[in-house]
């Protein structure tokens, strides 16, 4: 890996995105927010680069889904 990609915890993700916990998990289920990565048996975090990508384009962030614009 040529660059460092920090893992950030939920408090940081919520503070940086302005989302509530429930909204964030709903968006993960919809595929419109990055999924968390497991970092230990009971711990998870998010790749900072993925969260930054969402912050840069929250409307356009999608996992592979066809666009249905009129």
């Amino acid at each position: 890996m040529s660059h460092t990609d920090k893992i950030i915890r939920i408090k940081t993700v919520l503070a940086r995105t302005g989302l509530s916990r429930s909204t964030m998990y709903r968006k993960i289920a919809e595929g419109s927010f990055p999924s968390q990565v497991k970092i230990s048996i009971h711990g998870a975090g998010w790749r900072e680069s993925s969260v930054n990508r969402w912050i840069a384009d929250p409307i356009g962030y999608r996992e592979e889904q066809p666009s249905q614009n009129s």
Side-chain angles (χ1 to χ4, degrees), residues 1-63:
M1 193 180 254
S2 61
H3 67 287
T4 57
D5 193 7
K6 289 181 5 184
I7 300 297
I8 54 178
R9 300 302 297 265
I10 190 165
K11 285 179 121 179
T12 304
V13 174
L14 297 177
R16 294 204 34 212
T17 62
L19 297 173
S20 70
R21 184 182 296 246
S22 59
T23 298
M24 183 188 70
Y25 282 114
R26 178 178 47 79
K27 287 181 168 295
I28 290 169
E30 293 171 349
S32 62
F33 192 82
S35 296
Q36 63 269 52
V37 292
K38 202 153 183 64
I39 56 176
S40 68
I41 293 171
H42 298 292
W46 283 259
R47 293 187 197 288
E48 188 174 35
S49 62
S50 297
V51 174
N52 287 341
R53 217 174 80 224
W54 183 88
I55 290 168
D57 188 12
I59 302 299
Y61 184 94
R62 293 265 174 216
E63 292 184 346

